[in-house]
Amino acid sequence: MSVIAVGPAVALAGAGYRRWATYRQAALAGVFVNTVFGVIKLSILLGIADSAGGTVAGYDAASLSTYAWVSQGLIAVVMIFAWTELADRVRTGDIAVDLARPVDLQLSWLAQDIGRAAWALLSRAVVPIVFGAIFFGFYWPTDPTAIILLPVSILLAVCVSFAGRFMVNLTAFWLTEIRGLVLLYVLVAGLLGGHLVPVQLFPDWLQAAAYATPFPAMVQFPINLMTGQATGLRALGEVAVQVAWAVGLLLLGRLVLSRATRKLVVQGG
Amino acid sequence: MIVEVTDLRREFVVRRRAGRLRRTRDVVAAVDGVTFGIAPGECVGYIGANGAGKSTTIKMLTGILVPTSGTVRVCGLEPVRDRTTLARRIGVVFGQRSQLWWDLPLRDSFRLLGAIHRLPTSAWEPRLAECVQLLEMEPFLDTPVRQLSLGQRMRGEVTAALLHSPELLVLDEPTIGLDLLSKERLRAFLVRERAERGTTVLLTTHDLPDIERLCDRILVVDHGRVAFDGDLPGLVARVGAERVLVVDLAEPGPPLIDVPGTTLRAVEADGLRQHLAFRKEDTTAAAVVAAVSARVELRDLAVHEPAIEDVVRRLYLE
């Protein structure tokens, strides 16, 4: 398989950005919902911290606020919720068009997803975080390593998330209808990734289970850099884990894709 | 040969419900031992009824479907193995699907395809300008694809397939659903494309005029096999494709059995409506109309062209 060149990748990322930037009202509605749920999430977390005597698992009120608002802001960026675009193309047979292009299928979709994430960062992440910082207490990171690694970590979170979603979508080649599987994936990813509550608040056994999956690399790790949970070497270590998951899952995805295309049946006339 | 297909076969497993829980598993050969070759510069019409195996063949030619057995070579490449390399050298339009970016202005799709094919701007921009002018796309170049009419979108699809100047253009039902004017514009464009660049074209269609205007050669497939390989006059001569003139008379008249060059096919409503079949080689519609109106008073008339399905059906009935 030919690896995608810089020119096409940049063009595709641009297309991903512009495609999503077309629908501004949808972004606005998303921002509103994410912000409202941010208030709810933070209220619950502050209640827990309060009953635990002010801090819980290393979070105080300010860092819990940062956790809540950054995790809400990242929802659209790393696309924690259902994404079935590729599976839909498999189900309808439109995947034929993608396969008839002289680009690597996986990497061309990754490029478009990074473009999409860039738009989401500007349109969906900024408002909840600024809102939270203004109206609630907020912990701003001070560790230089964490601050430098933050953009890298967010990009890697997008890559890991994409690699996972891509593989779930690929199962459509065998299953055709994958809505049930996607729903299960979203629930598990949201929970184990640390989107609902921080992974640090889990009981030990659940933490161990979570860290054995790629999901914290999609959500918890970039948030840790903002909340001060990961600084210095720990920050570097978590980013290294993200790199490993991104590379590993993308390679696994390629393997599954080559299996899929070998047995490929394009649906429809 | 730019396309070489030898003994190509593709089977599908069809599962059917048989009772409450039981399912039967049938193996159906959509393409069942097809052999043909296409020389550079040829325009071949690949025709057959729905389900005859046309799209399945095209999927195997473009490398997106693995043959069950047999061999395919396109532009000297093996489509499944060399899919991405092949994609640079051929252009494909799947009439029922879109290769344009649905949410973006039409112009953006061309820019993206230029980048995907790694063409320098100097290579694709003049080509685009040419297509825009010939297909009159200027008024809607900045319209999002989702807002284009089918005719406008199809012009965009064909341009997208030709942007990288492919050696072989594969069109799967390019005129499906288009109005007469749009069909004609597209045909004229393809005729010119072939004349100017010598592009090899393989197209599937249900439209006889597509074949009359565009194709030097016809391959008829039926039940996954090649039923005819030759030119249109040859096909028509073999099956005797007929045009039918339907005349409505002012008052019930006797059966029109003696009109030169025609055969009376049907008489309705005591002779108020009569169907006269004739062949292109024997007479013209004008001569038949003149002969009929010399005998009776005409109120209305219509000419039915032979449908490609009829031609194919007759071929198979032989």
Side-chain angles (χ1 to χ4, degrees), chain A residues 19 23 92 101 264 267-268, chain B residues 59 64 83 97 99 103:
Chain A
R19 267 191 65 200
Y23 303 104
T92 58
R101 290 199 167 125
L264 184 60
Q267 310 280 344
Chain B
K59 284 172 191 164
I64 58 177
R83 195 183 70 233
R97 312 189 187 287
Q99 57 187 315
D103 314 282

Side-chain angles (χ1 to χ4, degrees), chain A residues 2-5 7-8 11-12 15 18-19 22-23 89 92-94 96-97 99-105 112 261-269, chain B residues 10 12 55 59 62-66 80 83-85 87-88 92 94 96-104 108 111-113 115-118 146 172:
Chain A
S2 69
V3 166
I4 203 159
L12 284 164
R18 288 197 307 281
R19 267 191 65 200
T22 307
Y23 303 104
R89 291 183 73 81
T92 58
D94 284 343
V97 174
L99 288 168
R101 290 199 167 125
V103 279
D104 183 277
L105 186 83
Q112 294 188 66
T261 46
R262 214 173 303 154
K263 64 137 275 177
L264 184 60
V265 174
V266 171
Q267 310 280 344
Chain B
R10 171 70 209 201
F12 290 103
S55 295
K59 284 172 191 164
T62 49
I64 58 177
L65 183 65
V66 184
V80 170
R83 195 183 70 233
T84 43
T85 318
R88 282 177 215 289
V92 189
F94 297 102
Q96 313 275 40
R97 312 189 187 287
S98 181
Q99 57 187 315
L100 307 169
W101 275 260
W102 192 244
D103 314 282
L104 298 180
D108 288 24
R111 202 177 302 144
L112 275 162
L113 286 165
I116 281 177
H117 282 282
R118 296 180 211 181
R146 66 192 147 87
D172 194 2

Side-chain angles (χ1 to χ4, degrees), chain B residues 2-202:
Chain B
I2 190 161
V3 176
E4 277 185 276
V5 171
T6 316
D7 209 18
L8 188 63
R9 188 176 163 84
R10 171 70 209 201
E11 293 168 354
F12 290 103
V13 174
V14 180
R15 290 187 178 83
R16 281 196 196 85
R17 258 191 218 190
R20 244 174 238 284
L21 291 169
R22 227 158 43 83
R23 287 194 174 187
T24 58
R25 194 171 170 283
D26 292 326
V27 175
V28 177
V31 173
D32 189 7
V34 165
T35 301
F36 65 87
I38 298 174
E42 262 191 311
C43 180
V44 177
Y46 197 62
I47 65 175
N50 291 327
K54 302 187 299 292
S55 295
T56 307
T57 310
I58 285 189
K59 284 172 191 164
M60 289 191 280
L61 290 179
T62 49
I64 58 177
L65 183 65
V66 184
T68 304
S69 66
T71 59
V72 189
R73 290 196 85 73
V74 179
C75 301
L77 300 165
E78 192 188 301
V80 170
R81 195 192 59 202
D82 311 321
R83 195 183 70 233
T84 43
T85 318
L86 183 63
R88 282 177 215 289
R89 298 180 55 185
I90 64 174
V92 189
V93 174
F94 297 102
Q96 313 275 40
R97 312 189 187 287
S98 181
Q99 57 187 315
L100 307 169
W101 275 260
W102 192 244
D103 314 282
L104 298 180
L106 181 58
R107 193 190 293 279
D108 288 24
S109 286
F110 300 134
R111 202 177 302 144
L112 275 162
L113 286 165
I116 281 177
H117 282 282
R118 296 180 211 181
L119 300 172
T121 313
S122 61
W124 65 266
E125 269 194 340
R127 180 79 169 137
L128 176 61
E130 187 191 351
C131 294
V132 166
Q133 195 226 324
L134 289 170
L135 291 168
E136 298 163 44
M137 295 194 294
E138 191 62 49
F140 53 85
L141 264 184
D142 292 306
T143 307
V145 172
R146 66 192 147 87
Q147 290 174 355
L148 297 180
S149 74
L150 180 63
Q152 292 171 334
R153 183 170 70 77
M154 199 49 76
R155 281 180 262 168
E157 299 284 352
V158 172
T159 304
L162 287 172
L163 207 60
H164 56 293
S165 306
E167 299 155 54
L168 171 69
L169 179 63
V170 179
L171 304 165
D172 194 2
E173 304 190 10
T175 58
I176 194 162
L178 298 188
D179 62 45
L180 284 176
L181 190 69
S182 304
K183 280 184 187 178
E184 200 41 49
R185 181 170 19 215
L186 195 56
R187 286 178 200 134
F189 174 79
L190 290 171
V191 166
R192 192 193 132 105
E193 168 71 20
R194 284 191 63 208
E196 301 252 308
R197 297 182 180 256
T199 310
T200 311
V201 179
L202 173 67

